[in-house]
Amino acid sequence: MFRYILVIATVASLASLALPAAAQQTCNLQLTVSCPSTSSVCTSTTFNAGTNACTGEYLAGFYVTGSAQVSGFSSSLGLSDCFDSSIYPQPGVAYSLCFGSASLAPGGSFTSSATITAGAGQIFGFTSVYDASFNTELASVFAQANVKTATCTPIISSPPVTQSGIDYQVAWTTVSDTTAQYIVEESTSPDFTANLTQVQVNGFSRTFHHDVTNTTTYYYRVHATNCGGTTPPTSAATNTIVIAPPAATSRNPGVTVPIGTTQPVPIRVFIPGSGSTGPAALADPTFVATTDKPYLTVSPSTGTIPPQGMTLTVTASPGSLAAGASTGTLKVTTTTTPSSTSRTSDVTPSGGTTTNVPVTVSIVTPVAPEGKTMPPPNALIIPIVTHVNAAASPFLSDVRLTNASLQATKYQITLTPTNTDGTQSSKVTEVTVGAQQTTALNDIVKNFFGFGATGASDDVGFGSLEIRPLGSSSLETFASSRTYADKAGVGTLGQYIAAIPYSKFATNMQSPVVIPGTGGPSIRKLSLQQVSQSTRFRTNIGLAEGAAQPASGLIHIFDAAGTLLKDVPFSLRAGEQQQYNGFLTNNGIPTLNDGRLEVEITSSTGAVTAYASVLDNVTTDPSAITPVDVSSVSSTRYIVPGIAELPNGTNNFHSDARIFNGGSSDVVATLTFVPFTGFPGASPRTLTIHHGEMAVLDNILPTFFGTTQSTGGSVLITTPSPSSLVATARTYTNVANNGTFGQFIPGVMPSDGVGPGDRPLEVLQLEQSDQFRSNLGLVELTGNPVTVRVSLYQPDSKLTPSLDVFLKANEFQQIGGIIASFLGASTQTYNSRVTVEVVSGSGRVSAYGSVIDNQSLDPTYVPAQH
């Protein structure tokens, strides 16, 4: 009876907890859930992925929201005490569960099942384990099922983009009447008035094929022939953009085709010639062309390049490729000798020169028009992705999605266009990522959702991107995005955009479905510092709503002294993303050299995250500012890595730091500069930071620490008692006209790093090629020596090379050309990631990547994720 009361109390907590947050857990359990559309029975599997038996009081079951109902729960674990929501009703939720004492051996698993009565809502399976008194949670895992209840309105999907001459399928879901056939319509206008065709199909898909000389958009919709005795409604429309054969190019050539394509696809690559003629000229160079991937071949593979240049054809065979961007290298090696008519005394033969051209095949998945729903807590949301066909240079977003778990995971990826209601306007696709794999989603807005694919200047796309694991409890999903301008002759200018866990959104919601033990204090405010509006910089701010509910609140604007300058209200529709360009100027603050923004949610519904983008007015180089929940910051140690003062030459580097005191009292902080090994250091300095104040430390090494020589390293900030400091920096290069190229660097606490036995850190979006190089930074956080293992994961490779790095107490190291240190400087690899784990010692470690454009020299700082 006592246990029964405790379980009832645990279930009652479902109605009062807010958004879940990951907790420290003794047992390492994983859970998957499946609800086949052909059955009303849902099944979950709980697996012990740890090295120890998980023994305790188990609580396992299913929860559903909305009008759906759940009953008849059973478990192979032998849990004998069972009840459902008829015993202890909860508003807006139905459940069926069992509990009892049990033990699950390492590698062991058990299954559970329940009957779900059809209805609108979401379905969760869960397993929680407690000690004998139900006071301590040993584990809690959950997963949301991917179920679409059949109605009389089918959901249609089609590939967003394909090449001319490639077959593609338009598909749809079944309706509730199993006897129905379907009428699918195609048109070249969104209102289905131009070039309309109709065909009746006995099935759920139809293949289309178009050869076009001009890029053309084809629109599709479908309805059942019969359903429920009424006139069947027509689906929402979808579209496929068929791209005309592109002109030959030498700059990042590639194609986009639907998943499952087996037809060979030509990619035309232009190879420039010498452009010179005359009797004293060198003879036209001969060349040898090869590719480094089995799915790419090149023709011709040998020959002579005339002065005006020539076109090679790379043929892609995409049949073996998974969803995402697969990039290989076309290697063209040229050799030039004197012509027969030249005077050999005037001309020296040239040796072989190799040009490496990246060639990309993007395999895209079908997209359906669907409304956004509330995500599970283990979803990630990137608050801004874009594609803009600007005249000077396109803006685009490359996303990386890593599944670091030991089994393949399917992800639902939802794009909600800016300034729209996400429950009405979103587009949805699904991508499967293999175990321990990273999928490259290059130019995701165009390739995977079709915005910007026509090339028209007014064909643009902005919005937020949700990445939702389907049927999986995995917390080993990691994602990142780089949004950048691609300027011909200059290179790229970009910024890292973090994927924010849904559990880190600000909210006042009291969620009706929260798995026991995974809740935590709700986040109310998010802080963004190091923003500026001046002759040198301007600031944009963006907001994204994640819960598919309306949200409203205030954006507080503070100066460095903590003075509130203005409150700006905001209001978001369900799932809406908004960006406010020139935010400070447009709100009556024309100058704010050093400021801080605080986003506060005041509504009882909705969940919000934020970002700021600070742009250099000369170079337009952006730095993205990530949000911080100051209320969760508590430490006596803070570390800012990647600080530098290298004043000479074109590769000069400098660092501006900011330290915000978010606590309720003044803090006396000791700042210690920890230099690279062999670089000069400086004496520690103290700094008093008043509560609510932000210390401004421009060019921190020479102006605060008094360094007089070139140096670099990290800054350690300590306080005598736990404090709430938010430390950030921007490390940058000065260029002509008082412009800069730089990267935003968030500070870390020891709790942000990893120690012995912790899951490795993940550093995504690394590249080693003629276009980019990548550095890796490592820093010890606790003042204890430690050995870390750095491992490199490459696409298309089963080999995972690693190296061990010893860090002294507080030491900071940066490994330049991290991929080249494993594979050699001539390697071309485009979608790599690095893991960092502690293998010995008692210290804790953080890490970051810095990806540098070899042409523009613009760096992008990529924080490690855990």
Side-chain angles (χ1 to χ4, degrees):
M1 183 64 182
F2 175 69
R3 289 196 307 162
Y4 182 81
I5 294 173
L6 287 172
V7 173
I8 288 290
T10 300
V11 173
S13 71
L14 290 173
S16 61
L17 293 177
L19 286 176
Q24 290 293 109
Q25 299 180 343
T26 303
C27 297
N28 182 7
L29 299 184
Q30 296 179 1
L31 182 142
T32 59
V33 61
S34 174
C35 299
S37 58
T38 56
S39 171
S40 62
V41 176
C42 291
T43 301
S44 68
T45 300
T46 304
F47 172 72
N48 183 359
T51 57
N52 300 311
C54 185
T55 303
E57 299 294 326
Y58 277 73
L59 180 66
F62 281 87
Y63 288 82
V64 297
T65 65
S67 60
Q69 297 294 315
V70 58
S71 60
F73 179 83
S74 63
S75 169
S76 66
L77 194 61
L79 306 179
S80 57
D81 293 325
C82 303
F83 61 99
D84 57 31
S85 48
S86 64
I87 298 176
Y88 196 96
Q90 295 292 302
V93 60
Y95 61 86
S96 181
L97 54 85
C98 296
F99 65 95
S101 301
S103 182
L104 195 62
S109 65
F110 70 91
T111 59
S112 303
S113 63
T115 299
I116 310 296
T117 303
Q122 294 173 290
I123 301 170
F124 293 85
F126 86 97
T127 297
S128 294
V129 188
Y130 299 86
D131 65 1
S133 63
F134 275 84
N135 289 327
T136 302
E137 178 190 278
L138 305 180
S140 189
V141 289
F142 55 89
Q144 179 182 354
N146 183 35
V147 180
K148 295 180 175 68
T149 303
T151 66
C152 285
T153 305
I155 299 172
I156 193 169
S157 63
S158 67
V161 178
T162 189
Q163 305 300 130
S164 175
I166 298 298
D167 294 343
Y168 61 95
Q169 277 197 337
V170 175
W172 49 89
T173 59
T174 183
V175 296
S176 53
D177 190 334
T178 58
T179 67
Q181 295 187 332
Y182 298 88
I183 305 295
V184 60
E185 299 178 344
E186 179 189 69
S187 176
T188 54
S189 62
D191 60 0
F192 289 84
T193 58
N195 302 309
L196 178 65
T197 62
Q198 296 179 324
V199 62
Q200 183 166 319
V201 179
N202 181 18
F204 306 109
S205 66
R206 188 176 190 276
T207 299
F208 290 85
H209 179 108
H210 291 286
D211 294 288
V212 300
T213 55
N214 296 304
T215 296
T216 306
T217 303
Y218 293 90
Y219 298 87
Y220 299 95
R221 63 188 183 188
V222 66
H223 66 269
T225 55
N226 52 276
C227 188
T230 61
T231 301
T234 300
S235 71
T238 187
N239 62 272
T240 296
I241 302 168
V242 181
I243 305 294
T249 179
S250 57
R251 184 170 175 79
N252 299 325
V255 291
T256 302
V257 295
I259 193 166
T261 298
T262 58
Q263 298 161 266
V265 187
I267 305 168
R268 301 171 68 224
V269 182
F270 179 73
I271 305 300
S274 65
S276 62
T277 58
L282 295 176
D284 294 337
T286 59
F287 74 89
V288 176
T290 60
T291 61
D292 64 350
K293 300 296 181 183
Y295 54 84
L296 298 176
T297 58
V298 58
S299 178
S301 59
T302 59
T304 300
I305 302 176
Q308 68 271 23
M310 67 178 297
T311 295
L312 304 182
T313 299
V314 176
T315 300
S317 300
S320 62
L321 301 179
S326 296
T327 302
T329 304
L330 170 65
K331 296 177 181 287
V332 180
T333 300
T334 58
T335 304
T336 306
T337 57
S339 68
S340 59
T341 59
S342 67
R343 294 179 299 160
T344 57
S345 60
D346 296 334
V347 183
T348 302
S350 70
T353 301
T354 298
T355 300
N356 296 303
V357 181
V359 178
T360 300
V361 183
S362 285
I363 306 296
V364 297
T365 46
V367 171
E370 292 188 48
K372 177 176 165 56
T373 60
M374 181 182 291
N378 60 344
L380 301 174
I381 295 177
I382 299 174
I384 178 67
V385 289
T386 186
H387 182 96
V388 177
N389 294 314
S393 58
F395 285 84
L396 55 150
S397 299
D398 291 346
V399 170
R400 297 293 181 265
L401 173 56
T402 293
N403 171 23
S405 74
L406 299 179
Q407 59 185 4
T409 301
K410 180 180 287 187
Y411 296 94
Q412 177 179 290
I413 301 179
T414 302
L415 176 70
T416 299
T418 191
N419 299 319
T420 65
D421 183 332
T423 64
Q424 305 296 319
S425 62
S426 296
K427 291 189 173 187
V428 176
T429 190
E430 294 180 0
V431 173
T432 298
V433 182
Q436 290 287 322
Q437 296 297 308
T438 298
T439 293
L441 306 171
N442 287 357
D443 200 357
I444 187 170
V445 174
K446 184 185 82 170
N447 289 337
F448 275 80
F449 294 98
F451 293 102
T454 65
S457 60
D458 60 349
D459 183 7
V460 300
F462 287 92
S464 61
L465 192 78
E466 180 198 288
I467 299 170
R468 179 184 304 196
L470 294 177
S472 172
S473 66
S474 176
L475 297 175
E476 296 182 272
T477 296
F478 304 95
S480 67
S481 175
R482 181 173 183 263
T483 292
Y484 57 95
D486 189 2
K487 294 187 174 184
V490 175
T492 62
L493 305 175
Q495 58 190 336
Y496 168 87
I497 306 292
I500 309 296
Y502 177 53
S503 60
K504 299 297 184 183
F505 275 50
T507 187
N508 290 306
M509 288 194 308
Q510 300 297 310
S511 175
V513 174
V514 177
I515 306 308
T518 63
S522 291
I523 300 168
R524 301 287 190 265
K525 299 177 181 179
L526 298 170
S527 178
L528 302 121
Q529 67 189 46
Q530 210 153 349
V531 302
S532 179
Q533 180 68 45
S534 65
T535 56
R536 296 185 62 197
F537 298 100
R538 64 187 187 274
T539 296
N540 304 330
I541 181 174
L543 304 175
E545 199 289 311
Q549 298 181 8
S552 58
L554 296 169
I555 304 173
H556 309 290
I557 305 174
F558 297 93
D559 64 15
T563 303
L564 177 63
L565 303 180
K566 190 168 186 178
D567 285 337
V568 180
F570 71 84
S571 179
L572 298 172
R573 289 171 285 182
E576 185 176 10
Q577 190 271 351
Q578 293 183 9
Q579 179 165 301
Y580 309 94
N581 293 335
F583 176 74
L584 294 169
T585 296
N586 291 333
N587 283 285
I589 303 176
T591 302
L592 181 60
N593 288 323
D594 296 289
R596 187 177 69 87
L597 304 177
E598 192 172 81
V599 177
E600 179 182 10
I601 187 168
T602 58
S603 59
S604 60
T605 60
V608 174
T609 194
Y611 63 92
S613 181
V614 181
L615 291 92
D616 185 293
N617 288 329
V618 174
T619 63
T620 69
D621 179 48
S623 295
I625 312 298
T626 50
V628 175
D629 170 26
V630 180
S631 67
S632 69
V633 176
S634 179
S635 183
T636 59
R637 295 172 64 89
Y638 309 86
I639 300 90
V640 184
I643 302 299
E645 176 59 23
L646 304 170
N648 299 318
T650 57
N651 289 330
N652 65 90
F653 289 97
H654 316 270
S655 297
D656 297 342
R658 304 290 184 268
I659 307 173
F660 169 62
N661 179 6
S664 58
S665 59
D666 297 349
V667 170
V668 177
T670 299
L671 278 63
T672 302
F673 173 53
V674 182
F676 290 120
T677 300
F679 278 69
S683 299
R685 298 280 306 275
T686 59
L687 177 68
T688 298
I689 310 173
H690 301 294
H691 68 279
E693 180 185 48
M694 182 174 63
V696 176
L697 303 171
D698 281 343
N699 222 9
I700 183 173
L701 293 183
T703 61
F704 183 78
F705 285 104
T707 59
T708 58
Q709 297 175 278
S710 295
T711 189
S714 63
V715 172
L716 168 66
I717 305 164
T718 59
T719 58
S721 59
S723 55
S724 296
L725 301 184
V726 180
T728 61
R730 181 174 183 263
T731 292
Y732 56 92
T733 296
N734 286 323
V735 296
N737 300 318
N738 206 30
T740 62
F741 293 121
Q743 55 188 353
F744 175 77
I745 301 175
V748 292
M749 300 178 291
S751 58
D752 295 321
V754 293
D758 288 341
R759 193 169 56 210
L761 293 168
E762 302 279 345
V763 184
L764 279 58
Q765 212 134 5
L766 302 185
E767 179 172 329
Q768 172 70 38
S769 68
D770 286 1
Q771 296 182 331
F772 292 92
R773 64 186 187 274
S774 299
N775 302 329
L776 179 71
L778 302 168
V779 62
E780 200 286 312
L781 305 176
T782 65
N784 296 287
V786 68
T787 298
V788 299
R789 179 160 297 153
V790 179
S791 301
L792 174 68
Y793 290 80
Q794 312 164 68
D796 307 322
S797 176
K798 296 181 180 179
L799 298 177
T800 307
S802 63
L803 61 87
D804 288 355
V805 180
F806 176 74
L807 296 175
K808 294 176 288 188
N810 300 319
E811 185 178 3
F812 168 66
Q813 291 188 27
Q814 180 166 289
I815 305 173
I818 180 63
I819 299 175
S821 68
F822 284 110
L823 306 176
S826 62
T827 297
Q828 310 286 310
T829 181
Y830 305 95
N831 174 28
S832 295
R833 86 179 202 271
V834 160
T835 62
V836 176
E837 61 181 319
V838 173
V839 293
S840 67
S842 58
R844 297 183 67 82
V845 172
S846 185
Y848 67 85
S850 182
V851 183
I852 302 164
D853 185 298
N854 289 330
Q855 186 174 13
S856 70
L857 300 181
D858 180 50
T860 299
Y861 186 91
V862 183
Q865 301 180 56
H866 177 54

